[in-house]
Amino acid sequence: MNSNRRERSRRPRIPQAAIRRLPVYLRELEEAVSGEERVVSSAELSARTGFTSEQIRKDLAYFGAFGTRGVGYDARLLASQIKRILGLTHSVGAAMIGAGHLGTALARFSQAEHKDIRIRHIFDKDPAKVGSSINGVVVEPVSTMLESLRASGVRIAVIAVPETDARTVFAELLAAGVMAVLNFSPVKLAADGVHVQNIDLTMELESLAYYAQEGVDR
Amino acid sequence: MNSNRRERSRRPRIPQAAIRRLPVYLRELEEAVSGEERVVSSAELSARTGFTSEQIRKDLAYFGAFGTRGVGYDARLLASQIKRILGLTHSVGAAMIGAGHLGTALARFSQAEHKDIRIRHIFDKDPAKVGSSINGVVVEPVSTMLESLRASGVRIAVIAVPETDARTVFAELLAAGVMAVLNFSPVKLAADGVHVQNIDLTMELESLAYYAQEGVDR
């Protein structure tokens, strides 16, 4: 199945870091549009995002030729092009696995801030949580996750379960046809043909410690 | 004060991305040590982390000459050197601002997973939460944050408060002498001489959407 997917692939492999910068560009372009700036240069985009102009031009070049040399990018047009690249031209559904503190916080965040991606499912194994509602989404039992995700066709999932449950949940998500996973558990998860983004909050804290030292350039 | 800090700086400016990879290397080296692997090559470190050997050698070269050409790195030695670079040779204290779902989840994570960085303070403005305890840390009122942080000398803080409170909290953290901030609020925060790492969870979800499309190499 994975090899089929690979053969169908028509785009070159884009570095993950470039994909992760696209939403940052999108955010700034949307701010520019709402501030009635029609054209944004890569230098301005650089000042607003902290990435170099070269980096921005290189990232965008993976997807085609955008902007006019010496002028800049049409902010509204580039924003819609980035949305198309990210597959965000229509609202996309995602599933949250785990309705503990982290899952609840993430589900609320996403519903409040965001219209492009909607949490459509929240699953938990705790019967006391099943049936309750988080920002309008009813918590489903994790035992019915496979059929529920297959029925709705949701392909994005966020893993916010304890370490001990992460592998089982991941295997079920694969069986349900999920293609992109944001993993907050400390377990490293990987499988062919599925994109996994691991966010390890303790590592984020460790890199912060570097900057808390005397004599370090911040 | 900032210019003083800059003058005291003795290290070259290291790319943030390199600093953020150090904890990943550290984790793998510690796993190697506990698996009784004495020597780890950059190729092995590459296979374990997903970063290229060149990237790994370049990151480490910012800090000195490590390892033996054609042999590899002494896993235990390199782990202790990375800990020294990150300032994690002794347990480092951090403060969590906000005891909502996100703050509680993060505080529990950090206490459970981590010995190098300890959440020493949790602050909240809700009187109903003040005095309660999360993993052994008593929630303090945010009104006493400035004096409490000055007294304890904690320099690392995590902002997990609603958008409306983020700027006020950030200003107080600066006044308290905090030097490194992990910001989970959607407000962009920045100040001279302070390192701010913004984690925007909605942007993480947006980049995930890219990989949920058909015909995309995952």
Side-chain angles (χ1 to χ4, degrees), chain A residues 2 18 46 49 51 55 57 59 93 115 123 145 150 169 188 202 210 216:
Chain A
N2 182 39
S46 164
T49 61
F51 303 119
Q55 183 77 74
R57 284 194 294 264
D59 286 347
K115 280 151 207 125
F123 298 98
M145 184 168 80
R150 277 187 182 159
V169 161
K188 269 186 289 181
T202 61
Y210 173 81
V216 162

Side-chain angles (χ1 to χ4, degrees), chain A residues 6 8 13 20 27-28 85 101 114 117 155 188 193 197 204-206 213-214 217-218, chain B residues 6 8 13 20 28 85 101 114 117 155 188 193 197 200 204-206 213-214 217-218:
Chain A
R6 288 270 153 86
R8 281 206 310 272
R13 183 172 264 289
R20 290 182 73 174
R27 177 81 43 109
E28 295 302 332
I85 293 165
H101 282 293
H114 223 263
I117 298 197
R155 289 173 173 180
K188 269 186 289 181
Q197 199 154 299
E204 300 288 347
L205 277 178
E206 284 186 336
Q213 300 174 94
E214 287 293 339
D217 213 354
R218 273 172 284 269
Chain B
R6 288 269 152 85
R8 281 206 310 272
R13 183 172 265 289
R20 291 182 71 175
E28 295 302 332
I85 293 166
H101 282 295
H114 223 264
I117 297 197
R155 290 173 172 179
K188 270 186 288 182
Q197 199 154 299
D200 191 317
E204 299 289 346
L205 277 178
E206 284 186 336
Q213 300 174 96
E214 286 293 339
D217 212 354
R218 273 172 285 270

Side-chain angles (χ1 to χ4, degrees), chain A residues 54 95 104 109 129 170 207:
Chain A
E54 293 67 39
T104 302
F109 250 125
K129 283 180 183 150
F170 185 57
S207 68

Side-chain angles (χ1 to χ4, degrees), chain A residues 123-196:
Chain A
F123 298 98
D124 203 281
K125 69 174 183 182
D126 181 357
K129 283 180 183 150
V130 170
S132 69
S133 161
I134 298 170
N135 279 38
V137 181
V138 174
V139 178
E140 301 169 63
V142 83
S143 56
T144 62
M145 184 168 80
L146 184 64
E147 49 199 282
S148 183
L149 290 183
R150 277 187 182 159
S152 69
V154 161
R155 289 173 173 180
I156 299 175
V158 183
I159 297 184
V161 300
E163 188 167 357
T164 43
D165 295 335
R167 282 185 204 287
T168 317
V169 161
F170 185 57
E172 276 209 46
L173 291 175
L174 298 189
V178 162
M179 290 176 172
V181 172
L182 191 58
N183 173 34
F184 283 93
S185 87
V187 180
K188 269 186 289 181
L189 302 172
D192 269 352
V194 172
H195 173 78
V196 182

